[in-house]
Amino acid sequence: MKRIISSVLVLGVCLTPLTVPVMVQPSWAQSQNLQLEKLKQLIEQAKQQTQQGQARQAIETWQQVIAIVRQFKERKIEAIALNYIALNYSALSQLQEALKYLKQALPIFREVGDSGWEATTLGTIGLTYLGISQPQEALKYYNQALPIWRELGARAREAATLNTIGLVYDSISQPQEALKYYNQALPIWRELGDRAREAATLRYIDEVNNRSQPPSRTNIPPIPQ
């Protein structure tokens, strides 16, 4: 399972700018501006803590971010913050807790119609299920992400997801299913000119084929006399 996780193309997360309409009343507008300034500071602090491996501190700061953005009903920013909390719980090896936050984020991305973030979150859920040795659950989420990447025309992410699905099938002793997905990924890497990932996919295919080959006659030990 570790081999699968290390082979997965990790999809980064980034924050989009926060835009909140300023109300007419001066006192309320001033209060909003103060909250927005605090929010920006908290986001920067949380990102730095995440990057520096200060996972527990980062989780607390992202929780403060969520408390503010919920006041502004900024659902997308809330969902991104939930993803970051999950990322930090994963860093602490608390994968069940990470799943809890990812599954809160997923319906929000669907609600706001952000297909890219929806697919990214589906893939992260899949990766997290791999981390707790539940490959069948992982496949459910990767198979939901795949058509979204195709619809978005995100060829590299489509191919990365195909490779991951192949790796999962290979890990549960379904080599022919694995080959089916590897062989879909391979022409995409060639189309994109990504020689490194093309080579990796060819290696996966070779590994499956070599395991499937019957033993050579020259390798069969002689029958004892």
Side-chain angles (χ1 to χ4, degrees):
M1 199 61 65
K2 287 182 180 177
R3 175 175 177 266
I4 301 174
I5 294 171
S6 63
S7 301
V8 172
L9 177 64
V10 179
L11 304 178
V13 290
C14 59
L15 290 173
T16 52
L18 175 66
T19 55
V20 181
V22 177
M23 305 298 287
V24 175
Q25 296 92 334
S27 59
W28 176 237
Q30 185 178 12
S31 174
Q32 273 197 323
N33 288 334
L34 289 172
Q35 285 284 76
L36 286 172
E37 191 57 39
K38 181 181 178 183
L39 177 60
K40 290 174 186 176
Q41 292 172 1
L42 285 171
I43 287 173
E44 284 306 311
Q45 180 182 343
K47 288 170 68 177
Q48 287 177 11
Q49 289 168 333
T50 300
Q51 292 163 3
Q52 293 168 5
Q54 300 172 350
R56 294 193 186 281
Q57 297 93 319
I59 288 167
E60 292 178 8
T61 309
W62 285 117
Q63 293 282 17
Q64 293 178 61
V65 169
I66 288 174
I68 295 174
V69 297
R70 280 177 176 164
Q71 295 177 37
F72 292 121
K73 303 188 188 305
E74 282 287 333
R75 297 285 278 161
K76 182 175 174 179
I77 303 297
E78 176 186 347
I80 292 171
L82 289 166
N83 261 10
Y84 267 116
I85 290 173
L87 176 67
N88 282 287
Y89 272 118
S90 293
L92 294 168
S93 299
Q94 297 184 32
L95 300 185
Q96 292 288 358
E97 201 65 18
L99 278 174
K100 185 174 80 175
Y101 284 92
L102 289 167
K103 289 183 177 182
Q104 289 179 52
L106 183 60
I108 298 176
F109 287 127
R110 286 172 171 162
E111 173 192 323
V112 300
D114 194 313
S115 298
W117 267 106
E118 177 188 350
T120 297
T121 305
L122 286 165
T124 308
I125 293 173
L127 183 61
T128 308
Y129 271 118
L130 290 179
I132 58 175
S133 300
Q134 293 189 33
Q136 295 289 358
E137 282 300 308
L139 284 172
K140 291 178 186 178
Y141 287 91
Y142 283 122
N143 280 314
Q144 290 178 63
L146 184 58
I148 299 175
W149 291 131
R150 283 176 171 158
E151 185 178 345
L152 293 173
R155 299 289 276 164
R157 296 194 177 201
E158 176 188 348
T161 305
L162 287 164
N163 263 4
T164 304
I165 293 172
L167 285 163
V168 177
Y169 273 118
D170 198 15
S171 77
I172 59 175
S173 302
Q174 295 189 39
Q176 294 309 310
E177 278 298 301
L179 283 175
K180 185 171 77 175
Y181 287 92
Y182 293 149
N183 284 319
Q184 290 179 64
L186 187 59
I188 300 176
W189 295 130
R190 286 173 172 162
E191 170 194 324
L192 296 173
D194 192 326
R195 300 298 296 276
R197 290 191 173 90
E198 177 189 345
T201 305
L202 285 167
R203 187 172 68 252
Y204 300 150
I205 292 170
D206 285 344
E207 288 174 0
V208 172
N209 286 331
N210 288 336
R211 288 198 304 273
S212 302
Q213 291 296 324
S216 169
R217 290 184 64 83
T218 57
N219 293 330
I220 299 175
I223 299 173
Q225 296 299 322

